[in-house]
Amino acid sequence: MTRLPDQPGERIDRSRELAFTFDGRKIHAYVGDTIASAVIASGQRTFSRSFKYHRPRGEFCGCGQCANSLVDVDGRPSVRACSEPVVDGMRVSHQNAWPSLKFDLMRVTDKFGGPFTPVGFYYKTFIRPRRLWPLYEKVLRRAAGLGRLPERQDEREWRTEYRRRHCDVLVVGGGPAGAAAAIYAARKGIRTAIVAERFGGQVLDTMAIENFVSVSQTEGPKFVAALEQHVRGYDVEILNAQRAAELVPAVEPGGLAEVRLANGARLKARSVILSTGARWRNVGVPGEQQYRNRGVAYCPHCDGPLFKGKRVAVIGGGNSGVEAAIDLAGIVSHVTLVEYDPQLRADAVLTRKLHSLANVTVITNAQTTEVVGDGQRVTALHYKERQSGALRTVDLAGVFVQIGLVPNTDWLKGVVKLSPRGEVEVDARGQTSVPGVFAAGDCTVVPYKQIVIAVGEGAKASLSAFDHLIRSPLSAAA
């Protein structure tokens, strides 16, 4: 059996070959193939046999809605071959046939079992006596090749049906910007999906949120739970714990852009909203991770009020560090700013303002060596004077790390235009340099990395994406 010639907008990429085995036989495939499409292309039409009469079973509905193409994948039973994407090196085998798929001894039930195995006999026979059902269930599952299924299947969340892999708006990133974008898109009645490495993003690591309008006080995890509940209230497919690895723009106006995931899956959409956020740059010293959210903080706007009347330190002498020290000086009792370089790197106007504050001490040419605590909270900061080598200690209750944000945009280099700091450049509508691709939140050049700003930017990008869709031609690929 051979494949059809290349088709416009086909889901397989014939330039990227894969290989796997079916019952020990090597099968050649392409990225985008399902197990069924690759096996059929190799000339194999039967994947398994039916449970009762052991009749041949293969491709039927083609969309994962029936039980005719169940196979075993790497020891995981009852996987639908018609909707399961091929992964390089996977081992696939048939189910419910012995000793082989072609020569199945249990086919005898199809020839002679009719009078003894009428329709529904196993439902009528194995329900009594009730106390023996656990034993019957084990026998039936083993005979049917079902085995034991895991109670949680988070690792399979990305393996959705193909109708879910082709959407109108694909949001990459599950933070506040991504959630807002998905909600606004879904409310327009268009097919929407979110793919996120960690739904909620860095908000999950926020100790307290007291500056989100209309919510006087909450915690990061609670805020994210409410965010996810709101998103799930609409017809939005959430593909969690999946990392985007590559963006392939549409080749023609109105065509499909493609996002390739690190696990090999490919998602296609008529428009894409990038909201991958950013991560705080770490100092990388002992105690930093141990006391994260227990005295070590990264956002002075979010967590500053928690240290009211206490002594804190700010690590970093650039604009963000000096601005953080100035802001905190109006809240805390004393701020110690520690800078690695011999002088501050902030703008002169900020430096002058900082030195005018009576409750701020500036220490330059100093290397932070350790964040110290009592096991529960931060109690001190150790640093080394770079010129003399002397070790010093500052007693305090909090440490704010302000050495910059790192946007999660490495996978976008060479595809969309990035700033020198790696942030996605967008216009007033959230449009990137690539038509049909929008961006919002902390991964963009929009200033002030705040939750409330990210939510607004996500909504704006979503509305812009919708406007793009209604004004774009519908290509053959879409």
Side-chain angles (χ1 to χ4, degrees):
M1 182 175 295
T2 58
R3 293 179 181 267
L4 293 172
D6 289 1
Q7 302 294 314
E10 65 181 7
R11 292 189 174 98
I12 62 172
D13 184 352
R14 300 181 191 237
S15 66
R16 302 171 65 193
E17 295 187 358
L18 302 172
F20 67 102
T21 60
F22 179 78
D23 283 349
R25 181 167 67 94
K26 187 174 183 179
I27 304 292
H28 294 281
Y30 298 114
V31 170
D33 261 323
T34 62
I35 294 173
S37 64
V39 171
I40 291 174
S42 74
Q44 177 78 33
R45 300 296 296 272
T46 302
F47 305 155
S48 61
R49 289 187 175 272
S50 65
F51 167 54
K52 181 179 175 182
Y53 294 119
H54 286 250
R55 293 168 181 166
R57 291 290 182 261
E59 183 77 333
F60 183 69
C61 72
C63 61
Q65 298 296 315
C66 71
N68 278 276
S69 60
L70 299 181
V71 294
D72 182 284
V73 178
D74 293 330
R76 180 161 49 89
S78 300
V79 176
R80 287 178 167 83
C82 59
S83 60
E84 185 77 3
V86 170
V87 175
D88 197 41
M90 70 190 331
R91 299 184 306 277
V92 183
S93 57
H94 71 267
Q95 290 189 170
N96 204 34
W98 186 86
S100 68
L101 187 59
K102 185 175 182 181
F103 302 103
D104 178 22
L105 294 180
M106 293 301 292
R107 286 185 300 169
V108 67
T109 58
D110 190 20
K111 300 294 184 181
F112 307 107
F116 306 102
T117 56
V119 174
F121 84 97
Y122 32 80
Y123 301 123
K124 301 173 183 176
T125 304
F126 292 120
I127 60 173
R128 295 185 180 85
R130 186 182 298 273
R131 64 179 178 275
L132 292 182
W133 169 245
L135 175 62
Y136 294 153
E137 182 183 24
K138 291 180 180 179
V139 174
L140 287 172
R141 281 184 171 273
R142 182 172 294 277
L146 296 177
R148 183 187 295 272
L149 294 176
E151 292 182 5
R152 293 181 58 84
Q153 298 189 22
D154 294 345
E155 72 277 8
R156 293 185 58 206
E157 285 187 7
W158 67 272
R159 292 185 172 98
T160 54
E161 302 159 5
Y162 265 100
R163 63 185 174 88
R164 286 294 192 183
R165 292 167 155 232
H166 175 184
C167 54
D168 294 313
V169 173
L170 175 62
V171 181
V172 184
I183 290 171
Y184 267 72
R187 286 176 61 86
K188 293 294 185 181
I190 53 182
R191 293 172 296 175
T192 306
I194 293 181
V195 57
E197 190 168 359
R198 187 174 68 145
F199 191 89
Q202 63 176 326
V203 178
L204 285 169
D205 303 322
T206 302
M207 184 161 42
I209 300 171
E210 298 178 341
N211 58 355
F212 191 83
V213 180
S214 82
V215 181
S216 59
Q217 196 279 331
T218 186
E219 298 174 356
K222 290 182 180 180
F223 185 87
V224 171
L227 209 61
E228 184 173 357
Q229 183 180 16
H230 195 173
V231 173
R232 291 190 183 277
Y234 296 94
D235 187 19
V236 177
E237 182 77 6
I238 299 178
L239 309 178
N240 202 8
Q242 303 303 325
R243 180 170 58 85
E246 185 180 358
L247 171 65
V248 181
V251 297
E252 59 182 345
L256 297 175
E258 180 178 279
V259 173
R260 296 171 180 172
L261 305 185
N263 57 25
R266 302 193 307 170
L267 311 174
K268 295 187 176 183
R270 295 176 60 204
S271 62
V272 176
I273 298 176
L274 306 172
S275 57
T276 49
R279 60 193 183 276
W280 294 105
R281 196 185 302 275
N282 295 319
V283 184
V285 298
E288 180 182 14
Q289 295 304 318
Q290 179 183 355
Y291 291 104
R292 189 183 183 113
N293 288 337
R294 292 191 293 169
V296 175
Y298 297 83
C299 179
H301 305 291
C302 310
D303 300 329
L306 302 176
F307 297 89
K308 184 176 182 179
K310 300 179 181 179
R311 302 177 70 89
V312 302
V314 173
I315 300 176
N319 281 348
S320 60
V322 172
E323 287 175 352
I326 293 171
D327 288 343
L328 290 168
I331 303 172
V332 304
S333 64
H334 189 272
V335 179
T336 300
L337 188 146
V338 180
E339 166 57 30
Y340 183 85
D341 287 343
Q343 62 274 332
L344 298 179
R345 294 172 285 107
D347 295 341
V349 63
L350 292 175
T351 302
R352 287 194 298 270
K353 173 66 175 177
L354 181 71
H355 286 303
S356 71
L357 300 174
N359 63 336
V360 175
T361 300
V362 177
I363 302 173
T364 58
N365 210 19
Q367 179 182 356
T368 302
T369 57
E370 185 179 2
V371 177
V372 183
D374 59 6
Q376 299 296 323
R377 304 287 302 176
V378 168
T379 59
L381 179 72
H382 289 174
Y383 70 91
K384 181 176 70 174
E385 294 181 352
R386 294 178 60 205
Q387 187 171 5
S388 65
L391 299 177
R392 306 294 184 189
T393 298
V394 180
D395 295 326
L396 40 72
V399 176
F400 286 83
V401 180
Q402 291 290 294
I403 54 177
L405 278 170
V406 182
N408 300 316
T409 57
D410 290 343
W411 63 290
L412 297 170
K413 290 180 179 177
V415 182
V416 300
K417 187 176 181 181
L418 303 178
S419 72
R421 292 195 295 180
E423 297 172 324
V424 181
E425 294 194 357
V426 294
D427 63 14
R429 300 174 61 255
Q431 172 72 60
T432 71
S433 59
V434 177
V437 177
F438 302 83
D442 289 1
C443 68
T444 70
V445 294
V446 174
Y448 311 119
K449 313 303 184 183
Q450 297 292 297
I451 296 174
V452 69
I453 294 175
V455 168
E457 291 294 309
K460 180 173 67 176
S462 185
L463 294 173
S464 298
F466 178 73
D467 185 67
H468 165 78
L469 291 177
I470 62 178
R471 297 174 185 272
S472 298
L474 192 62
S475 71

